[in-house]
Amino acid sequence: MSLAVKAAPEAASATVKPGHEPAHGAEQVLTDGFHLVLDALKLNGIHTIYGLPGIPITDLTRKAQAEGLRMISFRHEQNAGNAASIAGFITGKPGVCLTVSAPGFLNGLTALANATTNCFPMILISGSSEREIVDLQQGDYEEMDQLAIAKPLAKAAFRVLHAEDIGVGVARAIRAAVSGRPGGVYLDLPAKLFAQSMDAAAGAASLIEVVDPAPRQIPGPDAVQRALDLLRGAKKPLIVLGKGAAYARADEALKTLVEKTGIPYLPMSMAKGILPDTHEQSASAARSFVLPQADVVLLIGARLNWLLSHGKGKTWGGKTSKDWGAQKFIQIDISPTEADSNVRTDAPLVGDIGSCVEALLAGIGADWKQPPAEWLAAVADKKNKNVAKMAETLAKSPTPMNFHSALAVVRDIVKANPDAMFVNEGANALDFTRSIVDMYKPRKRLDVGTWGVMGIGMGFAVAAAVESGQPVIAVEGDSAFGFSGMEVETICRYNLPVCVVIMNNNGVYKGTDVNPRGGDVAPTVFVKDARYEKLMEAFGGVGVYARTPAELRAGMEEAIRSRRPTLINAIIDETAGTESGRITSLNPTAAAKK
Ligand SMILES: Cc1ncc(C[n+]2csc(CCOP(=O)(O)OP(=O)(O)O)c2C)c(N)n1
Ligand SMILES: [Mg+2]
């Protein structure tokens, strides 16, 4: 057993007169549920909580501050939850979100489910009402069986009923969040638990400092050999890096693998920057060429979900949308059940990404043959043509701005500030940004992830600033921003160096739809020429109204230099976007025209 035990700090204990005198007449030192929760988190290196106060956790938020934890208070729990989840991605430790019961819990639950889907380690801690009343459904204040509701949406869910079990509860939550495939964990703490007292020394002895919470998982030598054999025989190999590869913090090993093998690679959205997007082996600009052409694909921390067209169909050279292409797949994943999820996995390599990549490298000697020159030339040719085409588009400066002319500015600013964190959501505002704005370092790009969820923006921006200390640039669709916009107050309150850039095209996808019957405006259209920058000014931040690339550039440069909370309202041609950005084809269409 490897239980490291730490004494509860002085401040965590209360000296009280016990009900009857202890044997020696000495006063007994007590601790309580509040302090045991905080001590357990601190003992495990968790020093920041993202949350929103209220019954029964208000005192927990106060005591957290008093105990030296950083308590970041939000305006809506979903944003606190998103902040916690991305803190988990950025740090590799579980991000903690703290909410009240029932409605607060439910508000945080979307973020917890999103964390589980995206494999972000997060712990949602919610206070809950009286068990006896909840279970008899007698109508308690904010009554809800939260544990049951969280279970299907979380990687794991636990409830602690007794103060002496808090240490175990927190340890189990941490392990579940970060070991194997990371995910969201729910920890239910009933109101009564916080008030429970116990002997301080016994309390301290009950806490667990988790040893090796995310153990390495070494791949089997036969699986490594199988993968190497397949890769060695490839004529048109391709590497796909997923956000799992970014999370793995195996940056050097991944770079060595790509460069030693000479294989072209594609980074998925949040894997951008593991190697700089300007790397000569990046095939991003030739994506629609390399996917159907490749004969052996090495997936590293990337799942064959919808974002990769399920590994089949026309994207992969299949004859119809259901047919498989001719590729063979090698898949590195920590979860053994990921293989064969959509098409055959010819060489599954199960383990943590660092260990798997190092095992591959050990088998790749100095005599490793580079991929055939024709393949590399074909990829380079396609890429150069597409890059040249894009450069032409980016050089134009139409009035009003379009996505390209605005994003050409953002691209320059990110290039000049490669350490800045970068948040991105929207439809066109997401898709254009992802392809135009290069990333230079790992784990800088944070976006809508596996679900394409709107609403992550300000929560991610707050956590990115808090966890990294770096300036944050958040490029937001005007619709996307609306989901978490009130958190500009949070950004101002904590004086975070966040520069929000709203790509304001007056609506969802564009601002030009009309209601055929007149009356109400179309469902996708917002108030025209909305002055979003005034929202930031309302709380003491800087607002910028930018109609030209020069105004946008000046605003962003000043925001980065001053580190002041800034919101730039970038006015974009309302006709510039397309329906759903790049995923127009996912909209269902019926044959009947009505
Ligand atoms: C939680 C959630 N609700 C709704 C959607 C559907 N949706 C996808 S993109 C989008 C907004 C697109 O508009 P905007 O952010 O302004 O980007 P634009 O395309 O106009 O640049 C919406 C509502 C979603 N993805 N997630
Ligand atoms: Mg829009």
Side-chain angles (χ1 to χ4, degrees):
M1 285 274 282
S2 42
L3 307 187
V5 162
K6 205 179 99 173
E10 282 293 299
S13 310
T15 305
V16 297
K17 295 258 182 231
H20 43 95
E21 289 289 296
H24 308 296
E27 287 182 344
Q28 187 187 7
V29 181
L30 296 181
T31 186
D32 55 36
F34 289 112
H35 286 99
L36 286 167
V37 170
L38 299 172
D39 289 345
L41 293 175
K42 280 206 290 188
L43 183 61
N44 285 286
I46 296 170
H47 298 285
T48 305
I49 297 175
Y50 301 91
L52 202 157
I55 297 171
I57 52 109
T58 313
D59 262 356
L60 189 64
T61 64
R62 293 195 184 106
K63 291 181 204 290
Q65 262 188 346
E67 291 292 322
L69 281 98
R70 188 147 194 220
M71 181 69 223
I72 305 289
S73 250
F74 282 75
R75 305 301 293 260
H76 190 289
E77 290 90 348
Q78 188 176 121
N79 306 318
N82 284 324
S85 73
I86 210 66
F89 175 79
I90 295 168
T91 64
K93 286 184 192 161
V96 171
C97 173
L98 179 63
T99 80
V100 302
S101 27
F105 155 77
L106 286 174
N107 285 345
L109 198 55
T110 306
L112 187 76
N114 189 56
T116 304
T117 301
N118 281 280
C119 319
F120 298 152
M122 164 185 177
I123 302 173
L124 174 66
I125 301 180
S126 295
S128 58
S129 305
E130 297 281 341
R131 283 253 46 86
E132 297 84 341
I133 303 179
V134 173
D135 288 349
L136 278 172
Q137 297 169 35
Q138 293 174 306
D140 203 3
Y141 169 71
E142 298 196 346
E143 174 181 298
M144 178 173 278
D145 188 356
Q146 296 167 196
L147 187 70
I149 290 166
K151 258 183 194 158
L153 300 172
K155 187 179 166 196
F158 306 101
R159 176 186 292 136
V160 182
L161 291 176
H162 303 290
E164 62 266 33
D165 294 332
I166 287 172
V168 169
V170 170
R172 299 212 74 191
I174 291 171
R175 259 189 207 290
V178 296
S179 62
R181 170 174 286 179
V185 175
Y186 176 61
L187 188 59
D188 194 80
L189 302 184
K192 272 187 182 168
L193 177 76
F194 297 113
Q196 282 176 29
S197 297
M198 69 182 287
D199 177 75
S206 73
L207 300 185
I208 296 175
E209 184 177 2
V210 178
V211 175
D212 195 11
R216 297 181 69 192
Q217 293 183 31
I218 315 295
D222 51 338
V224 174
Q225 200 50 52
R226 192 183 299 121
L228 283 170
D229 290 347
L230 199 51
L231 203 57
R232 197 174 280 117
K235 301 267 179 308
K236 300 174 174 181
L238 176 70
I239 293 174
V240 178
L241 299 173
K243 70 173 167 301
Y247 179 79
R249 291 159 179 75
D251 310 332
E252 270 313 304
L254 287 165
K255 181 169 180 283
T256 309
L257 180 77
V258 168
E259 293 184 344
K260 254 200 171 164
T261 60
I263 298 174
Y265 74 94
L266 272 184
M268 300 301 288
S269 197
M270 283 177 63
K272 278 163 71 73
I274 295 176
L275 293 96
D277 281 334
T278 48
H279 195 285
E280 65 165 342
Q281 284 172 253
S282 167
S284 286
R287 187 182 196 270
S288 55
F289 175 74
V290 292
L291 290 182
Q293 290 286 325
D295 63 348
V296 174
V297 179
L298 169 56
L299 300 164
I300 307 183
R303 294 170 286 181
L304 283 179
N305 57 22
W306 71 279
L307 288 156
L308 281 170
S309 306
H310 306 283
K312 61 189 169 192
K314 293 186 174 166
T315 309
W316 292 88
K319 278 190 226 61
T320 72
S321 61
K322 293 251 159 129
D323 282 329
W324 296 5
Q327 294 79 13
K328 292 202 178 297
F329 287 100
I330 304 166
Q331 182 158 31
I332 300 182
D333 203 287
I334 201 157
S335 166
T337 54
E338 188 55 40
D340 304 324
S341 64
N342 286 273
V343 293
R344 177 180 305 109
T345 304
D346 301 276
L349 199 48
V350 177
D352 69 278
I353 287 170
S355 300
C356 289
V357 172
E358 272 157 27
L360 287 180
L361 281 172
I364 292 176
D367 59 339
W368 184 267
K369 277 217 281 317
Q370 297 292 293
E374 311 88 81
W375 172 237
L376 298 183
V379 176
D381 183 54
K382 210 41 190 195
K383 177 178 159 180
N384 293 340
K385 279 191 183 130
N386 287 341
V387 168
K389 234 188 277 169
M390 178 60 95
E392 246 175 62
T393 315
L394 291 177
K396 292 182 187 144
S397 189
T399 308
M401 286 191 285
N402 60 12
F403 286 99
H404 292 86
S405 61
L407 288 168
V409 173
V410 176
R411 188 176 68 152
D412 290 349
I413 302 284
V414 171
K415 187 176 183 186
N417 300 279
D419 286 316
M421 305 296 286
F422 193 84
V423 175
N424 189 199
E425 62 175 335
N428 295 278
L430 175 89
D431 292 337
F432 284 120
T433 306
R434 186 178 52 234
S435 57
I436 293 170
V437 178
D438 292 327
M439 306 309 298
Y440 298 86
K441 300 207 173 173
R443 294 172 295 284
K444 295 294 181 188
R445 189 183 154 86
L446 314 170
D447 69 26
V448 299
T450 311
W451 267 351
V453 67
M454 296 299 109
I456 49 90
M458 297 304 102
F460 277 18
V462 168
V466 165
E467 300 293 340
S468 74
Q470 296 290 339
V472 179
I473 297 166
V475 173
E476 299 274 313
D478 52 335
S479 165
F481 172 73
F483 288 73
S484 65
M486 193 62 202
E487 303 298 345
V488 296
E489 189 276 330
T490 309
I491 291 168
C492 288
R493 182 160 26 101
Y494 293 97
N495 196 23
L496 300 173
V498 175
C499 173
V500 182
V501 179
I502 296 183
M503 297 280 155
N504 185 0
N505 62 352
N506 293 343
V508 177
Y509 314 139
K510 28 179 159 187
T512 51
D513 274 7
V514 285
N515 176 351
R517 289 184 171 236
D520 293 343
V521 293
T524 53
V525 170
F526 295 153
V527 166
K528 306 268 182 193
D529 198 28
R531 301 302 295 262
Y532 291 103
E533 75 282 9
K534 291 185 192 294
L535 262 174
M536 189 61 103
E537 288 170 358
F539 304 107
V542 178
V544 177
Y545 184 67
R547 276 154 309 184
T548 64
E551 287 167 357
L552 174 57
R553 189 181 300 272
M556 289 189 78
E557 281 174 350
E558 179 57 18
I560 301 266
R561 195 201 57 73
S562 71
R563 292 178 66 94
R564 287 189 63 195
T566 301
L567 192 155
I568 305 178
N569 184 5
I571 307 305
I572 304 292
D573 181 354
E574 66 174 9
T575 69
T578 56
E579 177 93 359
S580 307
R582 296 259 166 90
I583 51 175
T584 315
S585 64
L586 297 186
N587 285 295
T589 47
K593 292 277 171 256
K594 272 198 150 191

